[in-house]
Structures are given as C-alpha cells and as structure tokens.
Amino acid sequence: RHSGPQPGEDLAPQGGDAVALHERLGLPQASLGAEVRLELHDDPHGPRCRRLGSERRRGVQPTRRLRSSHSPDQRRRQNARHQLLHSALLHDIMEDRSISREELTAIFGSNVSDIVWKLTKKFAGSHKSKEEYVRDLGLCLIASIVKGLDRLDNLCCMIGVFTIEKMNQYNTEADVVFLPMLKTASKLYPECMRTFTTISQQMKRQIKIVNQYVDLYHDLDKKNAELCTQIDALEVIIDSQRKDIK
C-alpha cells in the first residue's frame, strides 16, 4: 500500500523530519515557515501556487477539501505528477548528500524513494552496473522521464563548462544508452508516447549541436597546432638570418 503523498496533500515535508532534512542539506530554518504548495490543475491557467497558511487565515477551506469531486483517473494522474516533481527535485540527493533510502521513505513515501533509488548510480560505496541501472530506468515510467530530462539538461548546459572529453562521454551515452532507454519506456507506457518522443527529439537535436561544437573545437585545435608549427619554423629562419648578419 502506497504510504507516500496522496492527492491533495502538502508536497513539502512536515514536522521533525522536515527540520532534520533541512539541517542535513544546510538549508535555513526560516524556509520551513514559507513552504509553498504546488498544485497542478488540468485547467487553461496551468500550474498555480497557493499558501495553505494564507488560505486558513482568510477563512478559506484548504483546497484538499475540493479534491473529493475528482475522478479516480484524475487523482491517479495528479498523484503521478506529484511523484514526478518530487523525484525530479530529489534525483541526485542520495549520491550528493548521502540521504538514505529509509530517510526518503519516511518523509516522501515509498513510491518516491523507490524512484529516486532507481535514479541513483552509487551510494554508500556500492555501485550499480550500467546494465542494471539502465534496465531499472527503462522499466519505470517516472524514472525514465526524469533521467531523460536530466540528460537533456546536461547536454544543453555543458558547452563551455565540461571538458571536451566529458562532453564526448555524455553525448555518446545519450546516443547509445539513454535514447534506447527512452524508446524501451515508450513501448512499455504508450500512453506517454508523446512525452518520450518530445524528449528524444530534443535530445537528438542537442547531440547534433554538441557534435558540431566538438568538431569545430578539434578543427580550431588542429589549425592552432599548424600555426604554431609555422611560427616555430619562421623563428628558426629569423634566428638563422640574424646569425648571418652578425
């Protein structure tokens, strides 16, 4: 039975667990009093944020009371959105902050902690094999979407930041590993085909851009090497002429 956040529940961690997590992550305690609830509605206005505390102070019923009229399918989709948001925000937390799976389960529920675990390659000295890691991602709807978007973001932001070698590594992994993973997930979850197709198309486009950048870099590097060789040759000729003049 899912013990994580249900539709209409606050997304932010509550109580002592929230305080402990803030301390582990080095976040200011003041932020605990300003937690914003993100609600995703199927309406033309898109995402809206509401502060539950403000609603209560104004005498307005919290919106969780308005969810009873939603159909089971709407609640299922909304819960999936909540899990997607949580997992995307927490996808590196186990690797970067050494937050355990048990801690995540206690605060965010078992579904979110399971997804974050699938997105984690190494933790507490243990490493997953690439085959196991990619297989688990492809079998999980939310994990495959989050990883696809994560790698797409890497490809979009790494020019001018990563070394050429690391850019080549990320580009090759995207092409050889993560595009096939997205294809596998799209077959398992045909209802999300449009999402996977969009991520894949954008990833292919960015792979092409990065390849063009790397090729230009190597061309310029080669030309610089040729110019250096020519300059060295000219310096030898000039030194020889100076000796002749003397």
Side-chain angles (χ1 to χ4, degrees), residues 81-144:
R81 290 191 186 105
H82 288 182
Q83 292 177 19
L84 178 61
L85 177 61
H86 278 128
S87 303
L89 292 172
L90 298 168
H91 75 280
D92 274 339
I93 197 169
M94 295 183 73
E95 291 184 19
D96 295 347
R97 296 286 187 171
S98 299
I99 302 296
S100 71
R101 192 173 179 180
E102 290 72 21
E103 288 177 281
L104 288 180
T105 300
I107 299 172
F108 296 99
S110 59
N111 282 10
V112 170
S113 67
D114 287 346
I115 295 168
V116 174
W117 175 249
K118 289 181 172 68
L119 291 161
T120 302
K121 288 179 287 187
K122 55 185 179 180
F123 179 73
S126 63
H127 290 70
K128 296 179 184 176
S129 67
K130 181 173 287 188
E131 293 76 15
E132 176 190 3
Y133 177 65
V134 175
R135 184 191 67 240
D136 289 346
L137 290 175
L139 294 176
C140 177
L141 172 61
I142 294 178
S144 57

Side-chain angles (χ1 to χ4, degrees), residues 143-155:
S144 57
I145 291 175
V146 171
K147 187 59 190 180
L149 292 172
D150 178 48
R151 182 46 57 102
L152 178 58
D153 179 66
N154 293 147
L155 296 176

Side-chain angles (χ1 to χ4, degrees), residues 173-189:
E173 284 182 350
D175 191 20
V176 177
V177 177
F178 295 117
L179 281 175
M181 180 270 294
L182 291 170
K183 186 175 182 180
T184 299
S186 69
K187 292 179 179 178
L188 290 174
Y189 305 99

Side-chain angles (χ1 to χ4, degrees), residues 62-76:
T63 46
R64 70 181 65 179
R65 299 293 180 83
L66 304 177
R67 298 305 167 132
S68 58
S69 61
H70 283 195
S71 68
D73 184 61
Q74 286 176 316
R75 290 196 295 271
R76 179 188 62 80

